[in-house]
Structure formats: structure tokens, C-alpha cells
């Protein structure tokens, strides 16, 4: 019996609908080559579903998704149809919170052949571990009366301990350096607590070198000296900001991937490109599918198909290294489909 995995597809909005089918083509090819099977089930959740039904995802949708091994998501949001807070709060954030996807792992690596905006194109390779279920995204607050809005970040001991432990383990498996993004100089309650709990957990990992940096200084250091970083731990909001910067350093937001993980595997984990729905280029067939392929490789890795994951990233990097087939965000003229075809042809060689 081949190993079988059931994958929920949520292409979502905008270019999500263009990149997910290309990811499915590549993953299907890898499955055949590496002796496992992927059963894909597509779900219509997104902004059009919201306009038709009044919710981004119905209650039974969450139940259906629980039955899958993983979720492969494209992008969510279309500000022409619904405000961004309605769509993000309606789908992505509830999935992360209900399914306890408390780790958001976002690798930042300079891919071969892709120019970075940095002098000398330094070969940086770090990961951001973003807390994904509470903090500034907890959703606490409200508009109390006319012109009084309250949005409260929530940091719990359980939430900070588990993400700190994950980041420390991740650093231990790499170069053993953890930089913690904070802003405890200004946020004297939540982030002083965040720093204290991370420090406490870190006592169990004396082999990991620990440093704290205020997020503003950290952002500057990512630009000036990205080689110093190994693993960065950040709160929900700070992690979101820092990883868009990391995406820009990688040469395009069409490159970085994002894994929303429940490390205990009580719920399906979710894999997505970092980029959003990009309404400005949606429908043109020119979205860069590399972030979606990278997210697919992270999904295969998490499912235990490590060889297939390695083959996919090797094929992607063989294409970027050649630099012939690239989408407009990387200065080329290729379509989404042409980049996929190039990756598939490299898979013939590397698989
Ligand atoms: N594919 C990712 C996506 O659709 N992102 C939209 C977005 O606004 N994300 C913010 C977040 O990840 O917190």
C-alpha cells in the first residue's frame, strides 16, 4: 500500500487561484516519483464565498478540514469586495487559532541566482518562528463608543512557553543561535513578560546562544548584517512585519513560504505562500509560483516525505540558478505556468 495523504486545498482569492493549481501539478508529479499518493479535496472558501454566504468559511467547513492531513492554502483577501480585516479574521486567523497552529515557521534564504537588494548578495539563511495564535492577533477589544477603539494584545504563559520551546529546539537543530524580537522598552507589560518567559524556557537549552533585540533594531540588522541570524523568534505582529522584510531581502515576496504548524499534530497543519492575493496582477497568469512550491516542500517535509521535499527545493533552485525562466517580479517575462514547467523539467534531473 503506498503512503497516502489527504490534502485540503483552499486556493482562496486572487493569485491564490493561479498558484495552487501549479503547486498541485508539481506535488502530484513528486508523489508519483517518490511512491506516495496525495488525495486533494478543494474547498471554495474565500471572499466570493463570503459574498454569497455571509461567512468566509461555515462551521461545517472547519469540521471537514479537520479530517485532512494538511491544508494547502493560496491567499486570502480582496479589498475591492470586502475589507481585509473581514477576510483575514474570517478565515486565516480562525484556522490558526482553532487548529492550534501556534507556530508560523517562515524560512528566509537567498536562493541561488536570485539577486537580493543587498550589496554583494550575502548568502543569508535564517528562519523566523512567529507566534501564530495569540499576542497582537488575539482579537481582544472592541469599539467602545464613538471614536474609542481598544485592541489588546494577549500573552499567556502557555502560549509563550510553547513557542519559545519550539524556537529553541529549532535553533538547536541548526546553528544554535536564537535572536528574540521584542519591544519591551515600550510595551512594558506584555513584552517584558514575553522576554521573561522566553528566558525561563531557554534555561533548558544552555547550548543555544540567546540574544534579545528590539524589533526596530532587528529590522535594521536584517538589512545590514543578515548573516548573523540563525533563528529569530517573534510575536505574532512583529513576526508578520519582519517576514515581509525578509521576503523583500529574498528578492521578491513571490519567493518566501510559510508553515502554520501544530507540532503535536492534533490538527492538520497549513502551508501557504507568505504573499497575499495580489489583486494588481491577479488574472494575468504571471504570479510567481515559487513561494507556493516552497510551501509545498515544507508540507511534504512535515508529512515525512523528506526526500521529495528536498527534490522539489533542488529543482526550484536549479531553475532560479539558471535565471532563464522567471516571472516579472524577478525581472523576467515568464508566466506562472512556464515557471512550473521549468521546475517539472528540473525534477526529471534531480528526482
Ligand atoms: N497567503 C497568505 C495570505 O493570504 N496572507 C494574507 C495576509 O494578510 N496575511 C497576514 C498574516 O499572515 O498574518
Amino acid at each position: 500500500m503506498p503512503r497516502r495523504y489527504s490534502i485540503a486545498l483552499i486556493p482562496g482569492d486572487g493569485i491564490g487561484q493561479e498558484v495552487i493549481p501549479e503547486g498541485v501539478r508539481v506535488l502530484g508529479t513528486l508523489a508519483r516519483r517518490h511512491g506516495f499518493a496525495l488525495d486533494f479535496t478543494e474547498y471554495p472558501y474565500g471572499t466570493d464565498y463570503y459574498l454569497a454566504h455571509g461567512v468566509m468559511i461555515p462551521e461545517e467547513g472547519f469540521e471537514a478540514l479537520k479530517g485532512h492531513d494538511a491544508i494547502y492554502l493560496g491567499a486570502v483577501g480582496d479589498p475591492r469586495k470586502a475589507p481585509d480585516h473581514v477576510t483575514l479574521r474570517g478565515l486565516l486567523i480562525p484556522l490558526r487559532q482553532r487548529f492550534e497552529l501556534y507556530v508560523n515557521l517562515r524560512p528566509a534564504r537567498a536562493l541561488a541566482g536570485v539577486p537580493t537588494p543587498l550589496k554583494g548578495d550575502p548568502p543569508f539563511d535564517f528562519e523566523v518562528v512567529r507566534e501564530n495564535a495569540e499576542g497582537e492577533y488575539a482579537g481582544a477589544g472592541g469599539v467602545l463608543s464613538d471614536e474609542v477603539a481598544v485592541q489588546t494584545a494577549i500573552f499567556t504563559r502557555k502560549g509563550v512557553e510553547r513557542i519559545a520551546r519550539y524556537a529553541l529546539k529549532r535553533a538547536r537543530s541548526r546553528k544554535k543561535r536564537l535572536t528574540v524580537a521584542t519591544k519591551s522598552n515600550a510595551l512594558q507589560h506584555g513584552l517584558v513578560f514575553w522576554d521573561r518567559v522566553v528566558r525561563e524556557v531557554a534555561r533548558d537549552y544552555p547550548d543555544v546562544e540567546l540574544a534579545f533585540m528590539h524589533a526596530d533594531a532587528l529590522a535594521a540588522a536584517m538589512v545590514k548584517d543578515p548573516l548573523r541570524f540563525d533563528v529569530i523568534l517573534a510575536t505574532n505582529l512583529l513576526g508578520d512585519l519582519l517576514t515581509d522584510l525578509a521576503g523583500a531581502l529574498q528578492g521578491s515576496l513571490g519567493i518566501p513560504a510559510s508553515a502554520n504548524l501544530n507540532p503535536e499534530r492534533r490538527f492538520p497543519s497549513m502551508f501557504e505562500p507568505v504573499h497575499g492575493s495580489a489583486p494588481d496582477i491577479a488574472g494575468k497568469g504571471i504570479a510567481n509560483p515559487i513561494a507556493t512550491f516552497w510551501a509545498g516542500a515544507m508540507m511534504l517535509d512535515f508529512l515525512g516525505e523528506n526526500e521529495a521535499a528536498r527534490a522539489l527545493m533542488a529543482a526550484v533552485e536549479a531553475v532560479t540558478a539558471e535565471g532563464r525562466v522567471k516571472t516579472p517580479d524577478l525581472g523576467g517575462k515568464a508566466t506562472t505556468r512556464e515557471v512550473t514547467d521549468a521546475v517539472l523539467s528540473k525534477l526529471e534531473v534531480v528526482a
Side-chain angles (χ1 to χ4, degrees), residues 73-77 88 92-93 96 104 106 130 132 137 236 240 258 260 272-277:
L73 180 132
V76 175
L88 193 66
L92 258 185
I93 296 177
R96 291 170 177 166
N104 190 196
R106 296 186 163 188
R130 167 191 181 197
N132 212 30
Y137 276 41
N236 211 330
D240 192 38
S258 168
N260 304 265
E272 53 171 329
V274 168
H275 65 68
S277 57

